Amino acid sequence: MPITMKDIARELGVSVATVSRALKDSPRISAGQRERIKTYAREHHFFPNVIAESLRNSRVKPQKLIGVIIPQFAHYYFSSILSGIEEEASAHGYNILVAQSDEKYDREVRICRAFYENKVCGIIVSQAKDTMCYDHFQMLIDQGVPLVFYDRICTGVNASRVVVDDYMGAYNAVNHLINTGCRRIAFYGSSMTLEISKNRFNGYKDALLKNGLPLHEQWMRFCDNRIDAESITPDILSQEEIPDAFFAVNDDTAIGILYTAKRMGYRVPEDISICGFTNGQRAVACDPMLTTVEQRGITVGEEAANILISQVEGALPRNHVEKRVVRTRLIIRGTTR
């Protein structure tokens, strides 16, 4: 459980009032004593209860509040997950507090600390791309804060998670490309530090191997956005031998490939087939409309919120690690044969 000012006072042999004044930098406490108390508080992950302080002289009961961290608001998939979280939370009388990490580790750490300081009842998070150290997540668990990962899970922390079946989604997509006559299939993926990237790559690879097709390393790229796809694809499509299909880690990347191929005079899908992964609104706003793997973000959000609320309310033990997988489905449209 989180430590209190009373715990600090007992351990350091001072009064609670002294601890409170020291943490507020009161000049009534000596500089040495202030630093001693603040160091102990910092080392033991003590944060003041901001909500309790603001409500000390109020009879208003604090609302049930869930902290949600998303990598980027602009992504359709994350916004759909957020909709699912909010819908499930609202149905159980909870409100949500949302923050964007913007794919930055330092910002993610600050958000976790801010949520903890404001005493949210639990946190739902998809980790940032460059997060390689997980101490901030482990601290939350150690302090008894329920934590649920979605989409990008943290394998270094033993916490509940909700993911889609990335492996089978990729496997079925590439198998569809092969069944429609494609034999030279390129792969655009994210950093292999992320579990979703590993799983989607393994699905792509296993579909090729099962069908006796080779991996073409010269057509495998770390590319997970439209700008990079439009920059990288011309080089691949200018080679002597080119792919007859692309499988991309998300829809934005796939659309970047689509527009580049069309701009270079290739016909889609007659010359080149393209498959994405998300099934966001942009998938039906391009020409031809995009074949893609549907991730069912709203369902992912609902499941994540359901787990967290169950742990907060005791339906699931807080130390129980719940793992749920949401099935994907292939949506076939005009970019494949």
Side-chain angles (χ1 to χ4, degrees):
M1 296 295 293
I3 67 168
T4 65
M5 284 193 285
K6 188 178 293 185
D7 297 325
I8 298 173
R10 183 178 63 252
E11 290 298 320
L12 298 183
V14 297
S15 69
V16 174
T18 297
V19 172
S20 177
R21 293 185 183 116
L23 294 175
K24 294 177 180 177
D25 280 323
S26 170
R28 296 174 60 183
I29 310 299
S30 69
Q33 184 75 296
R34 289 203 305 268
E35 186 57 34
R36 175 171 172 252
I37 291 171
K38 288 164 73 175
T39 298
Y40 184 90
R42 187 167 55 249
E43 290 176 348
H44 291 79
H45 306 297
F46 170 81
F47 300 105
N49 189 332
V50 177
I51 292 178
E53 260 187 63
S54 66
L55 295 173
R56 184 166 295 159
N57 298 315
S58 171
R59 295 183 180 181
V60 178
K61 185 178 179 180
Q63 293 182 320
K64 297 182 285 187
L65 193 63
I66 297 171
V68 181
I69 305 176
I70 69 173
Q72 287 188 324
F73 286 119
H75 282 235
Y76 169 83
Y77 180 55
F78 292 130
S79 64
S80 65
I81 290 174
L82 186 59
S83 293
I85 292 172
E86 198 282 330
E87 187 173 329
E88 184 73 9
S90 179
H92 289 83
Y94 287 75
N95 291 315
I96 63 173
L97 182 63
V98 186
Q100 173 183 249
S101 69
D102 198 27
E103 303 288 14
K104 295 180 176 65
Y105 164 77
D106 291 341
R107 188 165 176 171
E108 184 178 83
V109 172
R110 290 197 300 271
I111 294 168
C112 285
R113 176 170 179 154
F115 281 173
Y116 181 74
E117 287 178 349
N118 284 278
K119 305 299 180 184
V120 297
C121 62
I123 296 174
I124 300 173
V125 57
S126 181
Q127 74 174 62
K129 283 182 185 177
D130 66 352
T131 295
M132 302 295 291
C133 176
Y134 312 118
D135 292 351
H136 54 303
F137 293 140
Q138 190 60 53
M139 183 276 288
L140 293 169
I141 293 173
D142 292 343
Q143 297 301 317
V145 179
L147 187 66
V148 178
F149 287 97
Y150 66 89
D151 189 50
R152 301 180 192 163
I153 63 173
C154 176
T155 57
V157 174
N158 195 28
S160 296
R161 71 276 312 264
V162 181
V163 296
V164 300
D165 194 346
D166 291 295
Y167 173 87
M168 284 306 302
Y171 181 91
N172 290 335
V174 176
N175 216 40
H176 167 68
L177 292 172
I178 295 169
N179 289 338
T180 56
C182 300
R183 293 295 179 267
R184 304 182 306 279
I185 304 172
F187 175 81
Y188 282 14
S190 299
S191 168
M192 289 300 169
T193 59
L194 299 173
E195 287 300 305
I196 61 170
S197 301
K198 295 176 186 176
N199 292 334
R200 291 178 196 178
F201 173 74
N202 287 333
Y204 158 82
K205 178 186 68 176
D206 288 353
L208 293 180
L209 295 178
K210 182 181 178 182
N211 286 278
L213 298 177
L215 288 169
H216 293 276
E217 292 188 9
Q218 73 273 26
W219 298 332
M220 293 164 54
R221 297 285 191 275
F222 288 123
C223 176
D224 62 1
N225 61 77
R226 178 171 177 170
I227 293 174
D228 288 346
E230 292 184 358
S231 173
I232 290 170
T233 306
D235 177 62
I236 291 180
L237 293 183
S238 298
Q239 296 173 8
E240 185 174 343
E241 183 180 39
I242 66 168
D244 58 10
F246 287 81
F247 172 64
V249 72
N250 57 43
D251 286 356
D252 280 352
T253 304
I255 291 169
I257 298 167
L258 169 62
Y259 278 89
T260 301
K262 289 175 63 178
R263 190 170 60 246
M264 294 178 68
Y266 292 97
R267 300 171 301 162
V268 178
E270 291 83 0
D271 300 325
I272 297 172
S273 290
I274 301 168
C275 182
F277 207 113
T278 300
N279 195 34
Q281 294 172 340
R282 295 175 187 173
V284 294
C286 55
D287 181 27
M289 291 191 289
L290 185 68
T291 293
T292 186
V293 178
E294 185 178 47
Q295 290 181 271
R296 300 173 62 204
I298 290 177
T299 302
V300 170
E302 289 173 343
E303 292 290 337
N306 179 266
I307 293 172
L308 187 71
I309 292 168
S310 295
Q311 290 181 326
V312 169
E313 297 184 348
L316 284 175
R318 292 203 176 192
N319 61 356
H320 171 74
V321 175
E322 182 79 0
K323 300 177 182 179
R324 296 183 188 175
V325 178
V326 175
R327 291 184 178 180
T328 58
R329 64 170 180 157
L330 182 64
I331 307 297
I332 300 172
R333 298 194 181 101
T335 57
T336 55
R337 302 166 192 167

